[in-house]
């Protein structure tokens, strides 16, 4: 019923479309390596590699994390609710419990995204440096330890969301859309080709899944990340004026 709510709704829909595509594409390398779409298989694959996906699929992690911030409308991507521009956007039409439901949903989304990041890229509920929890024998202490490890990872990423909100300024809207369509989308598509090609090459060479396989992925991702950082840095950090 007012221009602020209308602009906030338009921004929210445009932001959702652009960043959901990049988020979906960033999951494809994980599914290629795991060979399955179930979260249990993805966690077991990370245990088999003895390395988390954040190390072996680092580019996908960066893309997914940026998209997760945009999906949850958190700074620096809170365009639909920008207080200095839209006076909280579509929230201006709601008050009392209806307004609080928006806040509850936003923080529930943060917890969900934190759990997804922990599962997809940080080994999920798997206990590091142990294989006893993967043998199939049920043990109450191991189950409790797995739950605590998963909870600690989720709490860390929720804290990370809040930490970023206190730290970074908001993007302009044109910068936000350019990042989604001109950088994250082509980067995600190109990375899928790199991962698929690398898997074909390693399989053709007869390298079995394990620490050596994961080490090659780690080296390739380190090279890609350094190249991307050098390109986007443009002399600001590596060789500051």
């Amino acid at each position: 019923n007012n221009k602020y709510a209308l602009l906030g709704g338009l921004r929210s829909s445009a932001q959702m479309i652009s960043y959901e595509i990049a988020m979906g594409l960033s999951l494809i390398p994980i599914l290629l390596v795991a060979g399955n779409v179930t979260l249990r298989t993805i966690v077991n694959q990370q245990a088999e590699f003895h390395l988390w996906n954040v190390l072996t699929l680092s580019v996908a992690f960066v893309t997914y994390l940026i998209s997760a911030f945009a999906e949850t409308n958190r700074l620096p991507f809170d365009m639909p609710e920008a207080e200095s521009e839209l006076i909280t956007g579509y929230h201006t039409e709601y008050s009392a419990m209806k307004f609080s439901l928006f806040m509850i949903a936003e923080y529930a989304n943060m917890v969900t995204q934190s759990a997804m990041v922990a599962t997809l890229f940080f080994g999920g509920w798997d206990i590091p440096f142990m294989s006893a929890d993967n043998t199939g024998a049920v043990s109450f202490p191991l189950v409790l330890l797995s739950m605590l490890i998963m909870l600690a990872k989720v709490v860390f990423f929720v804290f990370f969301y809040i930490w970023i909100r206190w730290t970074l300024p908001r993007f302009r809207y044109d910068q936000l859309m350019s990042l989604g369509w001109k950088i994250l989308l082509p980067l995600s598509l190109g990375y899928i080709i790199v991962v698929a090609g690398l898997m074909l090459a390693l399989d053709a060479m007869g390298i079995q899944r394990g620490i050596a396989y994961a080490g090659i992925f780690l080296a390739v991702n380190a090279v890609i990340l350094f190249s991307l950082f050098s390109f986007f840095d443009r002399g600001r950090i590596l060789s500051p004026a």
Side-chain angles (χ1 to χ4, degrees):
N1 295 323
N2 62 70
K3 61 184 178 182
Y4 299 118
L6 175 63
L7 289 173
L10 289 173
R11 287 184 175 192
S12 183
S13 58
Q15 186 168 312
M16 185 183 301
I17 293 169
S18 59
Y19 284 89
E20 273 189 354
I21 295 173
M23 178 180 283
L25 291 176
S26 67
L27 295 178
I28 293 177
I30 300 173
L31 305 183
L32 286 172
V33 174
N36 203 308
V37 297
T38 61
L39 297 178
R40 182 177 181 178
T41 305
I42 293 170
V43 172
N44 291 337
Q45 168 259 312
Q46 295 176 78
E48 179 187 0
F49 276 14
H50 304 288
L51 283 175
W52 290 342
N53 283 337
V54 67
L55 299 174
T56 57
L57 298 171
S58 307
V59 179
F61 167 70
V62 172
T63 307
Y64 187 91
L65 189 65
I66 294 173
S67 301
F69 270 94
E71 281 295 300
T72 51
N73 296 337
R74 300 289 294 184
L75 273 169
F77 299 99
D78 63 335
M79 296 293 120
E81 308 140 9
E83 294 91 344
S84 58
E85 305 165 26
L86 304 182
I87 320 173
T88 72
Y90 55 88
H91 292 171
T92 57
E93 297 189 347
Y94 299 91
S95 61
M97 193 60 197
K98 291 181 179 178
F99 177 80
S100 71
L101 286 174
F102 275 109
M103 298 295 103
I104 293 170
E106 181 176 302
Y107 277 85
N109 197 0
M110 285 170 53
V111 173
T112 304
Q113 290 291 356
S114 299
M116 288 296 293
V117 170
T119 304
L120 295 171
F121 295 100
F122 286 84
W125 55 85
D126 181 64
I127 303 173
F129 313 113
M130 278 187 65
S131 58
D133 58 321
N134 300 320
T135 58
V138 178
S139 170
F140 179 75
L142 290 179
V143 171
L144 184 61
L145 183 57
S146 294
M147 293 172 64
L148 291 175
I149 287 174
M150 185 66 184
L151 179 63
K153 292 175 182 178
V154 172
V155 169
F156 171 78
F157 281 108
V158 171
F159 168 76
F160 185 69
Y161 267 106
I162 299 170
W163 189 20
I164 293 296
R165 186 178 182 89
W166 293 339
T167 306
L168 295 181
R170 184 184 301 122
F171 288 143
R172 293 198 317 267
Y173 192 65
D174 61 312
Q175 293 173 327
L176 177 136
M177 298 307 294
S178 296
L179 177 64
W181 290 106
K182 296 181 180 179
I183 297 176
L184 293 184
L185 186 59
L187 178 62
S188 300
L189 288 170
Y191 189 61
I192 292 171
I193 297 172
V194 170
V195 170
L198 184 59
M199 290 181 65
L200 283 174
L202 294 178
D203 291 341
M205 289 187 290
I207 299 177
Q208 299 298 319
R209 298 292 181 96
I211 190 65
Y213 197 96
I216 294 172
F217 266 88
L218 176 62
V220 170
N221 276 270
V223 171
I224 296 174
L225 277 181
F226 181 77
S227 302
L228 288 172
F229 182 77
S230 301
F231 175 75
F232 289 116
D233 177 64
R234 295 173 186 170
R236 292 186 179 92
I237 297 175
L238 293 181
S239 56

